[in-house]
Amino acid sequence: GLFVTDYFTHTPRKLSPFRSFASIELFHFHIPEDTVIAVWNLITFKEQGGTFGDQCPDRSITVYFRSGAPSVINPLHTHFPRDTAVPGSFALTLTWTLPNCTTGVFNVTSPLSGDWFLATHLPKDEGKISLSALCPLPCADSPLLQGLYEECQYLFQPQLIVQRLVNIAVLYPGHVTEQSMAPHNRSCLYKVFVPSYTSRVLVEVLRCRGAEGCPLWLRVRAKAPPLHNSTALDCREHTPCQLAQDLPFWQHWYYVLVEKHPGVPGTVSFQVTVQLTDCSRPSLARPPFLPSSASMNMPHSFGSAGGLALGDSPPPTSPNDTKHPVPIPVTLHTEERCWPVRPTLRNELDTFSVHFYIFFGPNVSVPPDRPAVFVINLLPVLDSGGVLNLELRLNVSSLCGENVTVFGCLNHGVPLTSGDNTSVTCETESLAGFLLSVNATASLSRLRIPYPQTGSWYLSLRSLCATEHGFEPCTNVTTEVYLHSYLSPCIYGQCKLLRTNYLYTACKCKAGWNGWGCTDNAKAFSYGFQLLSTLLLCLSNVMFVPPVAIAVRSHYLLEAAVYIFTMFFSTFYHACDQPGIVVFCIMEYDVLQFCDFLGSLMSVWVTVIAMARLQPIVKQASVGWEHAGQVLYLLGAMPLSMALQMDCHGLWNLLGPSLFALGIMAVAWTARTIRRHHCYPPTWKRWAFYLCPGALIAAAAMLLYAFVETEENYFYIHSIWHLLIAGSVGFLLPPRAKPSWHLGPLPRRKGCGYQLCVNEQEQLGLVDPAVASINSICTS
């Protein structure tokens, strides 16, 4: 055949350590029909500061593959919620082959067409709150110290190369296609479309002639070309060579591969035909053709409501046909039948919030002699990122004293309507499903399927009576069942709506809870621990009371107001930010967070500006700038508010204002030192008992905050941070500066080789005027 190669790629994305499904990177691909091989090229490389990260450690990267919906992964081996069915997926771990990059290859032969999803992540970190991971954590009331070092980044880029066949010969039910396989050919591939309400697909090889009888293998597979382990039949051992598929998938292509045995010489000629049995009309098979009304188009069957007829006119011959197809007699299967499928009404409430209502429901009657079948249609791509929920509740009063059990089989693609009324399984050789059951003892049954495959889901309800010999059909007992089916974003926990090139949901757990639905309580916080942590974080802000008192006593009323503002909003922000049930919010969370961050920044700003003592210098420089400090306070508040609105977790929100304020203080202190030819502040007591202890306390707080704080010790380390920061303010805030009219003019005196004229107490090193003199400054 003729092959066509297609290429798909995604832009590189930064990987994150796994905490929950919200921390994975999800990639969406679409594999076209008739694809015979798909090759994923998985490229991973390191970066550090915009360059190759040769010095970054090698961290294992896990990639998950799944067809039809995103993978449901559980790398931490946590417990899933009850009644949750976990779909399987394939996982691949990449190893590093080069210092800064690696490449992995994942091949899939004859992949299923449609949507494919790749999920990838880094292994879970050791618990340290890394600078890049701080933003999503509810753990900081001050701007975070991001950007202090160039962090190692791991980038992942998947590429997909597919090779697909074109012009695959199409088989039409009831028609014979002749084929001659040349010696150099190994196989012939065909496909046939199976519409709805088809109970059986029968493929038959006729009039096979070769050098060694009929040296052919017959293979059939749904949705994709057959593999080596697909359903196969050796035509040399079976006469006639017939391969049947019961309960085929509706609205899908079935692929037929006729393969020659290896080493067979010469040409092999044969005929191949397909018969489809219509379960809605068991006395008739699919007619070869109907009166012509429109040309036949196979994909048209995807949109047909009933799918009872395959087409309207006979199809043209394929290029491999040697003659026009002719109808052949069909074998009737009178035992094959199917039941009417009741549709559901789709009611969309919100994103991934859809209710499926049953006409004349939600109470449905299950007769004793036949199943009740319902269909739930999930839209492609749009519905696979949520959770499909199903609930069955038995009306015990409708049992009439009989020991009745209602079994429900949920299957994808085709309803399981077995002719065996005593069967309670929901699986066949080629069909897997989910089993639900309700009876008088257990009248409620639930099923949750995270990230379900899109398409049609069929629920078949049957009532069977329990006897000494097992289950038997009931007689004259029509049971009543309450059926509730809906699509929800998450099961439990805080639900997050995530979007890359695909929309999906994930739970974000709090208070130590883990798992897909935040139901794993192995590491959950107790109520006492939650209460203790909340009290520690809130009451530690009381340490701001001494700085407020010192500021008021020293007439720093503006600084005191800022400290009160910070103490108030930090307390109630932490009371509202708790992950468990000990939560108290006086206003919206975003407002509390913004005010807390702003108060923290302003506390640093006003403290350093107050230490600079700008007013006397500016007074001497210009009479019109008596309120320079207040102007700086206002000019600091406005840019800080803007910066917090842009990025509340940025490095420069804290580092920028702090460095600028320290620069102003350094300039002011240097100007005094140069003018007075002496170090400022001049007294050793100020340095020994105030400035040095305050600077050491503030440095210790920053080191704890940046390098010691983890998720496990956050509650008490961050409380210590509150205590140290508030304590450092009490040491660093300068004492009260008394105006000159309290002292009167000081006399001019010669000292230290130059004339020192002092008219303000501030020039005496910020100490009490009663114990300071000009001579003490000179002699020191």
Side-chain angles (χ1 to χ4, degrees):
L2 178 62
F3 291 94
V4 174
T5 302
D6 295 327
Y7 176 80
F8 309 93
T9 187
H10 283 272
T11 56
R13 295 187 203 161
K14 177 185 174 183
L15 302 183
S16 303
F18 184 84
R19 299 175 182 271
S20 66
F21 199 87
S23 58
I24 65 103
E25 289 296 329
L26 189 65
F27 299 88
H28 175 216
F29 290 92
H30 184 83
I31 292 184
E33 291 181 345
D34 306 336
T35 298
V36 294
I37 188 170
V39 180
W40 273 278
N41 189 29
L42 310 175
I43 304 174
T44 309
F45 51 93
K46 307 172 187 175
E47 279 190 359
Q48 188 175 20
T51 61
F52 287 111
D54 295 340
Q55 305 302 321
C56 296
D58 294 343
R59 307 187 67 182
S60 60
I61 297 173
T62 308
V63 186
Y64 301 84
F65 298 83
R66 188 187 174 202
S67 170
S71 300
V72 180
I73 64 176
N74 186 22
L76 303 182
H77 306 289
T78 55
H79 296 292
F80 281 88
R82 292 183 57 187
D83 308 318
T84 302
V86 183
S89 59
F90 184 84
L92 176 67
T93 301
L94 302 180
T95 57
W96 293 91
T97 56
L98 295 175
N100 53 23
C101 66
T102 185
T103 303
V105 177
F106 181 68
N107 298 336
V108 181
T109 304
S110 297
L112 299 178
S113 62
D115 299 312
W116 279 73
F117 296 87
L118 273 67
T120 181
H121 62 83
L122 294 173
K124 184 183 179 182
D125 54 17
E126 295 76 14
K128 182 70 181 71
I129 302 181
S130 62
L131 300 183
S132 62
L134 275 168
C135 188
L137 295 178
C139 63
D141 63 345
S142 298
L144 307 176
L145 303 179
Q146 297 180 2
L148 293 181
Y149 65 94
E150 297 295 343
E151 187 180 7
C152 289
Q153 297 184 357
Y154 299 82
L155 303 178
F156 179 80
Q157 180 183 23
Q159 300 172 346
L160 173 62
I161 302 174
V162 299
Q163 194 175 56
R164 57 188 176 89
L165 277 169
V166 296
N167 297 329
I168 296 180
V170 178
L171 299 177
Y172 300 96
H175 290 72
V176 173
T177 300
E178 292 193 3
Q179 180 70 50
S180 180
M181 192 181 303
H184 61 275
N185 288 341
R186 286 277 296 119
S187 62
C188 294
L189 183 64
Y190 309 90
K191 63 180 180 179
V192 59
F193 187 78
V194 177
S196 299
Y197 298 97
T198 300
S199 62
R200 197 165 189 258
V201 176
L202 179 64
V203 182
E204 186 174 8
V205 174
L206 306 171
R207 299 180 182 179
C208 178
R209 295 182 299 273
E212 300 178 1
C214 187
L216 298 177
W217 283 95
L218 179 61
R219 304 180 189 272
V220 178
R221 185 188 177 199
K223 305 178 183 179
L227 297 168
H228 67 279
N229 57 352
S230 301
T231 304
L233 185 69
D234 191 351
C235 293
R236 290 188 299 188
E237 301 176 359
H238 296 81
T239 304
C241 187
Q242 294 179 340
L243 190 58
Q245 292 277 331
D246 294 323
L247 295 176
F249 293 99
W250 293 352
Q251 303 290 332
H252 284 286
W253 290 100
Y254 266 72
Y255 290 82
V256 178
L257 178 65
V258 180
E259 192 173 15
K260 187 165 55 176
H261 282 271
V264 175
T267 301
V268 180
S269 60
F270 59 91
Q271 293 179 344
V272 61
T273 182
V274 177
Q275 302 173 30
L276 303 182
T277 303
D278 191 340
C279 64
S280 63
R281 295 179 293 175
S283 60
L284 296 175
R286 295 284 180 187
F289 52 85
L290 297 177
S292 176
S293 61
S295 61
M296 182 177 184
N297 186 10
M298 299 300 295
H300 173 70
S301 300
F302 279 101
S304 61
L308 300 181
L310 193 60
D312 296 327
S313 63
T317 59
S318 64
N320 293 329
D321 289 341
T322 58
K323 65 176 183 178
H324 291 284
V326 295
I328 65 168
V330 297
T331 304
L332 302 182
H333 299 270
T334 56
E335 73 279 7
E336 299 289 350
R337 59 180 179 175
C338 58
W339 307 106
V341 178
R342 296 178 59 179
T344 55
L345 177 65
R346 179 186 177 92
N347 183 19
E348 296 187 7
L349 304 178
D350 203 345
T351 305
F352 296 118
S353 182
V354 182
H355 281 212
F356 300 97
Y357 295 104
I358 301 173
F359 292 99
F360 309 105
N363 295 321
V364 297
S365 298
V366 182
D369 56 340
R370 60 182 178 86
V373 185
F374 305 88
V375 60
I376 300 172
N377 292 312
L378 300 184
L379 300 181
V381 179
L382 297 178
D383 292 343
S384 60
V387 180
L388 179 61
N389 300 266
L390 197 64
E391 180 179 325
L392 282 180
R393 189 187 302 271
L394 178 63
N395 185 1
V396 181
S397 61
S398 65
L399 301 183
C400 301
E402 297 287 340
N403 190 7
V404 179
T405 301
V406 177
F407 293 96
C409 283
L410 183 65
N411 298 89
H412 183 262
V414 59
L416 184 60
T417 55
S418 174
D420 184 8
N421 289 331
T422 62
S423 175
V424 294
T425 182
C426 293
E427 297 182 1
T428 63
E429 183 180 352
S430 60
L431 187 65
F434 304 96
L435 176 64
L436 301 92
S437 63
V438 288
N439 51 34
T441 305
S443 60
L444 177 63
S445 179
R446 292 189 178 94
L447 175 65
R448 301 183 180 95
I449 305 177
Y451 295 165
Q453 290 181 301
T454 56
S456 298
W457 288 83
Y458 295 91
L459 177 65
S460 303
L461 300 177
R462 290 181 297 167
S463 60
L464 299 176
C465 290
T467 63
E468 297 179 356
H469 308 288
F471 289 100
E472 295 182 356
C474 299
T475 58
N476 299 326
V477 178
T478 300
T479 56
E480 187 177 82
V481 177
Y482 170 82
L483 176 59
H484 185 206
S485 58
Y486 59 97
L487 191 71
S488 63
C490 296
I491 300 177
Y492 304 109
Q494 180 185 2
C495 197
K496 299 187 67 176
L497 188 63
L498 306 174
R499 185 185 187 96
T500 52
N501 59 338
Y502 173 79
L503 195 64
Y504 61 103
T505 60
C507 284
K508 181 181 178 183
C509 304
K510 293 185 176 182
W513 291 83
N514 292 305
W516 183 269
C518 300
T519 55
D520 191 331
N521 61 352
K523 298 181 180 180
F525 301 156
S526 64
Y527 177 80
F529 181 81
Q530 295 181 42
L531 181 61
L532 176 63
S533 62
T534 304
L535 292 177
L536 279 176
L537 290 170
C538 294
L539 297 182
S540 59
N541 288 285
V542 179
M543 189 63 183
F544 272 97
V545 172
V548 170
I550 294 174
V552 172
R553 182 176 177 273
S554 302
H555 287 192
Y556 291 104
L557 301 182
L558 189 147
E559 288 80 356
V562 172
Y563 301 153
I564 293 174
F565 180 90
T566 303
M567 179 178 62
F568 177 83
F569 281 102
S570 178
T571 300
F572 287 101
Y573 167 69
H574 280 293
C576 183
D577 189 50
Q578 293 309 298
I581 58 177
V582 186
V583 179
F584 178 72
C585 298
I586 61 173
M587 58 184 68
E588 291 185 4
Y589 175 84
D590 292 340
V591 176
L592 291 173
Q593 184 186 55
F594 177 83
C595 293
D596 175 44
F597 281 34
L598 180 62
S600 301
L601 292 176
M602 286 301 299
S603 297
V604 176
W605 175 263
V606 300
T607 301
V608 179
I609 294 299
M611 293 173 63
R613 304 297 295 267
L614 295 176
Q615 187 173 357
I617 296 179
V618 178
K619 275 187 176 181
Q620 296 175 8
S622 175
V623 180
W625 287 85
E626 290 90 354
H627 303 287
Q630 286 79 357
V631 173
L632 284 177
Y633 293 153
L634 184 60
L635 291 179
M638 292 186 292
L640 286 178
S641 300
M642 178 191 68
L644 286 176
Q645 190 66 27
M646 294 174 61
D647 180 14
C648 64
H649 299 276
L651 164 68
W652 292 104
N653 291 345
L654 176 62
L655 195 57
S658 301
L659 293 178
F660 187 73
L662 288 174
I664 294 176
M665 185 186 71
V667 170
W669 285 13
T670 302
R672 290 190 180 94
T673 300
I674 293 175
R675 188 175 63 251
R676 297 175 52 245
H677 294 183
H678 199 282
C679 178
Y680 182 87
T683 61
W684 65 270
K685 292 182 179 180
R686 184 67 190 168
W687 286 99
F689 299 114
Y690 294 96
L691 296 181
C692 289
L696 290 176
I697 294 174
M702 297 302 297
L703 291 176
L704 282 177
Y705 185 72
F707 301 106
V708 180
E709 188 173 287
T710 64
E711 294 182 47
E712 288 75 16
N713 62 21
Y714 164 72
F715 301 106
Y716 49 88
I717 291 296
H718 200 75
S719 300
I720 296 175
W721 149 271
H722 287 164
L723 299 176
L724 293 178
I725 286 296
S728 65
V729 171
F731 281 92
L732 296 176
L733 195 66
R736 178 180 179 182
K738 295 184 179 180
S740 59
W741 56 269
H742 281 186
L743 300 176
L746 293 179
R748 287 191 174 187
R749 306 178 71 175
K750 284 278 187 176
C752 299
Y754 64 92
Q755 190 176 33
L756 180 64
C757 300
V758 180
N759 59 1
E760 287 193 59
Q761 180 61 22
E762 186 270 341
Q763 292 293 94
L764 298 180
L766 313 180
V767 295
D768 195 322
V771 297
S773 66
I774 302 299
N775 291 330
S776 64
I777 297 177
C778 295
T779 57
S780 64

